[in-house]
Amino acid sequence: MTTSDTTPTANYRPQPPRTLRHLLDHQMIVLIALIAVVASACSSHPAAPPDPHSLIDRTPGLVRPASVHVASTDTDRDRAVVHVAQQLYTFWNTGDTARLDAAVGPEFRDNTLPSGRPQGPTGPVAASSTFRAAIPDLTCELADLYVTGDTFTARLVFAGTFTGTYNGVRGAGQPIRFGAIDIQHVGTAGKIVEDWHLEDNLTFLQQAGLVTVASAPARN
């Protein structure tokens, strides 16, 4: 009697049950999908930095910059620097020394100190007093603010009416409008420790009628 050969061949591989194979296929699909999500996240562009104007402190009474520009994505530091700038220029806009105290540290140094102005935090107080004696309605517009790390640069516009006295000369109501540029360095304590500044004093003196610039003679 002959019998059929039931010995497994060398290439035979036992197959897992259908339900197990289906489960393994499903897990593989999920794994591939997760890998695709992770790869997409790693290759995507970083989130856009916040709108610089969102860094402005909108507390009533604080000067607000008309334009803000930032060079980093350290939002917390940039917001703190913008706030210090707003405090400083609110002082220049109002003469309120409490605003200056909030912005300038006791070690403050003026690196472009004009002749006759005291060094340190008392210097801006003296300068403000001198200008306000000449221009009682003096205002300070923060036209542009550029924040670069712990330093900010400001473009300012001062305006008012020359109705007071400057260097012994009484004003006659002349309108005054002149610009200035500041570079301010904020220290680790969160207050300004040094600055550099340049004011268009010639324009102020011309508008106030205190100087006359000679014209060049006409050429034949």
Side-chain angles (χ1 to χ4, degrees):
M1 184 175 74
T2 62
T3 59
S4 60
D5 187 4
T6 59
T7 304
T9 62
N11 294 327
Y12 175 77
R13 294 290 186 273
Q15 297 297 316
R18 182 175 181 80
T19 54
L20 178 59
R21 185 169 63 250
H22 178 74
L23 179 60
L24 291 174
D25 290 344
H26 178 72
Q27 290 177 335
M28 184 62 69
I29 292 172
V30 172
L31 179 60
I32 292 172
L34 287 174
I35 292 173
V37 170
V38 172
S40 176
C42 292
S43 61
S44 62
H45 296 290
D51 177 5
H53 286 81
S54 68
L55 304 174
I56 298 173
D57 185 340
R58 301 188 181 277
T59 301
L62 278 178
V63 164
R64 298 179 188 178
S67 180
V68 181
H69 313 267
V70 296
S72 77
T73 56
D74 190 337
T75 303
D76 291 340
R77 181 186 63 187
D78 293 342
R79 180 174 286 107
V81 171
V82 170
H83 177 73
V84 169
Q86 290 184 257
Q87 292 279 14
L88 176 65
Y89 298 119
T90 299
F91 158 71
W92 283 109
N93 188 57
T94 63
D96 183 356
T97 57
R99 299 294 190 179
L100 181 68
D101 294 340
V104 172
E107 70 275 43
F108 169 76
R109 177 176 179 80
D110 184 342
N111 291 306
T112 47
L113 188 70
S115 176
R117 183 180 300 181
Q119 183 59 270
T122 58
V125 176
S128 175
S129 297
T130 298
F131 272 113
R132 289 191 176 279
I135 311 169
D137 61 347
L138 181 71
T139 61
C140 175
E141 174 192 350
L142 180 48
D144 283 299
L145 181 63
Y146 296 84
V147 179
T148 50
D150 60 0
T151 301
F152 65 85
T153 302
R155 183 175 70 86
L156 311 170
V157 178
F158 290 93
T161 311
F162 182 29
T163 57
T165 303
Y166 186 83
N167 284 348
V169 178
R170 185 76 180 181
Q174 300 95 318
I176 302 295
R177 184 177 178 86
F178 65 96
I181 299 291
D182 278 359
I183 301 174
Q184 307 281 348
H185 178 205
V186 180
T188 55
K191 292 188 176 184
I192 297 167
V193 294
E194 60 179 339
D195 81 342
W196 299 259
H197 55 92
L198 180 64
E199 296 79 25
D200 187 2
N201 288 321
L202 179 58
T203 293
F204 160 64
L205 294 173
Q206 286 179 295
Q207 293 173 346
L210 301 174
V211 298
T212 301
V213 178
S215 301
R219 295 183 179 181
N220 294 331

